[in-house]
Amino acid sequence: MVDTVIFSFDRAMQLSLLLESIVRHDIHKYLNVNILFCYSAAEYKKAYKKLQNKYPQFGWIEETVFNKPELNSDFDFCYWHNYYWWLKYKHLRKNKSDFKHIILQILSGNRNKSVMFLTDDSVFYRDIEISNIQDEKTAFSLRHGKHLADGEYKETENGIEWNVYENDETTDWGYPFSVDGHIYNKAALLKIIRKIIFNNPNTMEGNIACYFKEKYLFPQMKANKCSCLAGFELNRVQAIVNNHHLGISQEQLNRYFLDDYQLQIQFDTTQIQYFRPEIEFIYAQKKGRENKNLSMMREIGISVITPVYNRQDCIGRCIESVANQHYPNVEYWIIDDGSTDATSSVIDKYARQYPFIKVCRFEKNRGVNAARNYAIQNSSKNFILFLDSDDYFTENALYMIDQTISTHPEYRHYLFAQDDRMSYYNQNPLLLGETAELTFADFLTGKAAGDFLHVISASLLQAFPFDEYLRIYEGLTFLSIYKEGQKQYFTKQILVNRERGRSDSVTKEYFLHNTDTVRKQIQALSENLLLFEADYKQLGAEKELQALKRRLNMLKTVLKFWFLLKPAIFVYSFVKHS
């Protein structure tokens, strides 16, 4: 049997779905299941008690939370990385519970040779089949299969095999240790668990994965040709890692569970490309009652991101417009991109006044894209928008965004009108109405273009970071987002007042002023062709494709004859922007 430890915190309803799937699909009785659970309030405790009564055949261990955190010394003092983690991360210096002690207790309690960890936001959707784990160098995965994207693997008669360290660690295939359905030799893993410092599932996974990678442990992975496990992050119940999630209210889910509703998640099992597949429909079901559509329950949190460089004259107005929204679930990231004027002093004044403001400073100017990427990766909310430092919100803008998302929850990307672009919208056949649904094809073929206030799902933005070498060219990223998101919701609501015509505009600065900017434009257009040429052809946009190629060839010619063309370019640029 495989010792199977399931981590659960405040999520009895999601755990119920996982346990139900184990009962249904563990037909060979491979799994020796123990649930390590914890809760933050009496209502969650009540839900877990209800679940224990329903599934008495499983082991239930409640994590003991200490009245006062205890000094964390439960690790190998001879391993240098433990000291590094202990010094760098405050949350590792104290133990708030007996988490690690219980893990060791569970795994030492029997003679089973294999161990697997699961989190309560996963579910088995196919019968479980497990090959024997023969040695201390090979692990077996229930979450992998041929259908998962981005993997380099070898197909065998009974399944697939791959080397973890020869795959990209940012994909499902290259992460060396996982608490989501990987099976390991228990004796080998127990030694590592005793050695490494951790105090919750997130630090356990991250620190052990680091140790695996450093020591080149368990390099070989095996799996069946089809996976049987998928994950669904409906919400986030921990504060260590900014996992992608749907923002569905955990409190409401628990109330439904106590009222005898069961969680149901629909997804296409024949089209799974990633461990966390696209959800088609999610609802709470109770016999004799109407289903509760949980897609409408998203908790909406908004991260506003403002990159700023030498804008001491207007950054205060921008910040005040965010503060005056009085929106309860907002965080405001201000990235000072190496300002040399009094911008940082202005930011500090407001940051001391408003706790929702988060500030990061770059020592030198790195560009808008680098600033955006930093804030995106550190954002804790499920929607993100960019507010330029010389712009400012209209009254109740964030509440209007919240209302739009709540009314149209099926979208991941919302486009709001810009005040200086109304004439364009009113002349575009696609945008004549007050609202419209736009697609990737509309943007690729040029039927829809121009500036918008973008409000985008954090998970979507985090999957497609901006190119920091190109600094300001953002069209490639947005095309990728349009393609991945499939459809966007446009509305003519105006939520931002824009200041245009500034002499210090970054966009003006990056026209054809020098060979570096020309090279970056060439790279941007070249990458456009590389990424989307097949899409142009598939959509029958041959005219737009040829125009793109002509512009690319023109820029290459400009670069080749730069010294001859430079005087004419300077005059043209001066006239155009004066």
Side-chain angles (χ1 to χ4, degrees):
M1 296 183 75
V2 178
D3 279 346
T4 303
V5 181
I6 301 174
F7 303 127
S8 185
F9 176 64
D10 282 355
R11 296 201 288 207
M13 191 175 203
Q14 287 156 261
L15 176 61
S16 178
L17 184 64
L18 171 58
L19 297 181
E20 181 185 337
S21 74
I22 290 175
V23 170
R24 182 185 304 118
H25 293 294
D26 187 18
I27 58 176
H28 302 294
K29 306 301 179 185
Y30 288 121
L31 308 185
N32 174 40
V33 176
N34 286 278
I35 297 102
L36 175 53
F37 68 99
C38 192
Y39 48 83
S40 62
E43 288 300 296
Y44 296 115
K45 179 181 180 179
K46 185 177 178 182
Y48 280 118
K49 184 63 178 177
K50 179 178 180 178
L51 204 53
Q52 290 180 58
N53 293 334
K54 184 177 180 180
Y55 294 104
Q57 69 269 40
F58 299 136
W60 293 87
I61 303 96
E62 181 179 339
E63 187 177 339
T64 302
V65 178
F66 302 141
N67 292 326
K68 183 179 179 181
E70 299 179 357
L71 183 69
N72 188 357
S73 58
D74 188 12
F75 56 89
D76 185 350
F77 288 86
C78 296
Y79 177 49
W80 71 273
H81 225 132
N82 284 330
Y83 286 108
Y84 170 77
W85 289 321
W86 195 90
L87 292 170
K88 183 175 181 180
Y89 301 110
K90 289 183 179 180
H91 60 265
L92 278 174
R93 298 175 196 167
K94 300 279 188 176
N95 285 328
K96 296 182 179 180
S97 73
D98 59 348
F99 175 79
K100 183 173 181 178
H101 174 75
I102 295 177
I103 295 293
L104 292 171
Q105 188 180 56
I106 293 172
L107 299 187
S108 303
N110 59 61
R111 297 184 178 181
N112 294 330
K113 295 183 178 181
S114 303
V115 60
M116 172 176 68
F117 300 99
L118 294 170
T119 53
D120 55 13
D121 56 358
S122 53
V123 63
F124 289 97
Y125 66 93
R126 185 177 280 120
D127 289 347
I128 301 170
E129 299 289 345
I130 301 174
S131 297
N132 291 328
I133 308 299
Q134 299 294 337
D135 54 50
E136 297 185 3
K137 294 183 179 180
T138 304
F140 189 86
S141 173
L142 298 180
R143 61 184 279 184
H144 285 83
K146 289 171 56 180
H147 48 84
L148 261 64
D150 305 321
E152 296 288 337
Y153 59 84
K154 178 179 68 175
E155 188 168 354
T156 65
E157 182 179 352
N158 298 319
I160 56 175
E161 299 178 0
W162 69 98
N163 187 302
V164 173
Y165 304 105
E166 292 176 0
N167 275 268
D168 185 349
E169 65 180 349
T170 63
T171 69
D172 285 327
W173 298 85
Y175 201 64
F177 175 75
S178 174
V179 295
D180 288 304
H182 286 188
I183 302 173
Y184 301 95
N185 178 283
K186 187 169 74 171
L189 189 61
L190 259 174
K191 296 176 184 177
I192 298 166
I193 289 175
R194 291 191 176 100
K195 177 188 289 285
I196 301 300
I197 183 173
F198 62 85
N199 53 17
N200 57 53
N202 297 101
T203 54
M204 176 183 174
E205 183 178 61
N207 293 357
I208 292 179
C210 180
Y211 185 78
F212 271 33
K213 186 176 180 181
E214 183 181 313
K215 303 297 184 181
Y216 200 76
L217 301 177
F218 289 98
Q220 298 301 317
M221 289 287 296
K222 294 182 178 181
N224 297 315
K225 293 181 180 180
C226 290
S227 71
C228 62
L229 181 71
F232 303 96
E233 291 183 323
L234 308 187
N235 41 50
R236 183 158 64 96
V237 293
Q238 49 77 34
I240 304 298
V241 180
N242 287 334
N243 291 336
H244 308 333
H245 61 97
L246 299 179
I248 295 176
S249 170
Q250 184 53 40
E251 185 178 358
Q252 181 62 61
L253 287 178
N254 199 66
R255 284 198 292 266
Y256 281 145
F257 182 72
L258 291 174
D259 194 26
D260 295 328
Y261 281 87
Q262 296 297 315
L263 183 63
Q264 300 294 330
I265 299 176
Q266 292 182 2
F267 61 103
D268 189 346
T269 59
T270 66
Q271 298 295 324
I272 295 179
Q273 290 187 298
Y274 302 98
F275 172 59
R276 305 196 183 277
E278 191 75 23
I279 295 174
E280 295 178 343
F281 196 63
I282 176 170
Y283 56 94
Q285 185 181 61
K286 182 179 180 179
K287 188 176 181 180
R289 296 281 188 90
E290 184 178 352
N291 291 342
K292 305 288 188 180
N293 182 0
L294 301 183
S295 300
M296 305 291 290
M297 283 176 49
R298 283 193 292 187
E299 286 182 337
I300 299 170
I302 300 174
S303 290
V304 180
I305 296 175
T306 296
V308 58
Y309 176 70
N310 288 351
R311 291 287 176 85
Q312 63 182 33
D313 63 316
C314 62
I315 185 61
R317 179 184 63 186
C318 180
I319 296 172
E320 286 180 2
S321 79
V322 178
N324 290 336
Q325 297 295 308
H326 303 294
Y327 182 76
N329 197 6
V330 66
E331 68 177 5
Y332 186 23
W333 278 97
I334 306 173
I335 312 299
D336 185 351
D337 193 15
S339 295
T340 57
D341 64 358
T343 295
S344 61
S345 298
V346 177
I347 295 171
D348 286 343
K349 181 185 74 172
Y350 287 102
R352 288 192 294 269
Q353 185 177 356
Y354 298 109
F356 62 83
I357 294 178
K358 300 179 183 295
V359 181
C360 173
R361 289 189 175 86
F362 294 162
E363 291 185 5
K364 61 180 181 179
N365 184 263
R366 292 169 53 186
V368 172
N369 287 351
R372 286 177 171 177
N373 284 344
Y374 179 89
I376 289 167
Q377 295 306 319
N378 287 280
S379 166
S380 65
K381 305 302 181 183
N382 55 343
F383 283 93
I384 292 174
L385 67 86
F386 305 114
L387 181 66
D388 289 348
S389 57
D390 54 351
D391 297 342
Y392 54 100
F393 280 129
T394 59
E395 186 178 359
N396 294 324
L398 295 183
Y399 280 99
M400 294 172 71
I401 291 171
D402 184 300
Q403 184 180 31
T404 300
I405 296 173
S406 298
T407 307
H408 305 280
E410 66 272 24
Y411 296 92
R412 303 167 69 191
H413 190 172
Y414 302 83
L415 307 171
F416 292 84
Q418 300 281 27
D419 56 352
D420 58 348
R421 296 289 292 168
M422 291 304 295
S423 60
Y424 164 74
Y425 304 142
N426 292 330
Q427 293 173 17
N428 188 316
L430 290 178
L431 308 176
L432 291 177
E434 290 301 309
T435 64
E437 182 176 281
L438 302 177
T439 66
F440 167 63
D442 295 328
F443 288 100
L444 190 70
T445 58
K447 293 179 181 178
D451 291 338
F452 304 94
L453 174 67
H454 296 267
V455 179
I456 309 174
S457 163
S459 60
L460 199 55
L461 270 174
Q462 287 163 347
F464 297 98
F466 291 94
D467 190 319
E468 296 183 15
Y469 170 75
L470 298 178
R471 289 179 68 87
I472 71 164
Y473 300 102
E474 56 192 28
L476 286 174
T477 297
F478 279 115
L479 278 176
S480 296
I481 290 172
Y482 293 142
K483 184 176 181 179
E484 179 69 16
Q486 298 181 353
K487 58 184 181 179
Q488 294 76 36
Y489 182 81
F490 167 78
T491 171
K492 283 186 179 174
Q493 294 181 85
I494 296 174
L495 307 180
V496 170
N497 293 311
R498 304 213 300 173
E499 181 180 346
R500 290 297 174 260
R502 290 181 64 103
S503 60
D504 59 350
S505 167
V506 178
T507 306
K508 285 185 179 181
E509 181 183 340
Y510 272 82
F511 188 58
L512 294 174
H513 283 184
N514 54 58
T515 55
D516 182 57
T517 58
V518 176
R519 287 192 181 94
K520 287 175 180 177
Q521 289 189 57
I522 290 172
Q523 179 173 330
L525 293 175
S526 298
E527 289 184 16
N528 188 317
L529 281 175
L530 180 66
L531 293 172
F532 305 114
E533 184 169 7
D535 295 301
Y536 280 107
K537 294 177 179 178
Q538 183 179 351
L539 294 170
E542 193 65 35
K543 180 180 177 182
E544 290 78 8
L545 178 61
Q546 294 307 315
L548 181 66
K549 290 181 176 180
R550 285 194 298 271
R551 176 164 174 75
L552 178 59
N553 291 332
M554 181 272 289
L555 287 171
K556 289 180 178 179
T557 302
V558 167
L559 188 63
K560 185 176 181 180
F561 298 102
W562 175 257
F563 291 104
L564 295 175
L565 296 172
K566 185 177 180 180
I569 291 172
F570 176 80
V571 172
Y572 173 77
S573 177
F574 177 79
V575 171
K576 181 177 178 66
H577 297 296
S578 60

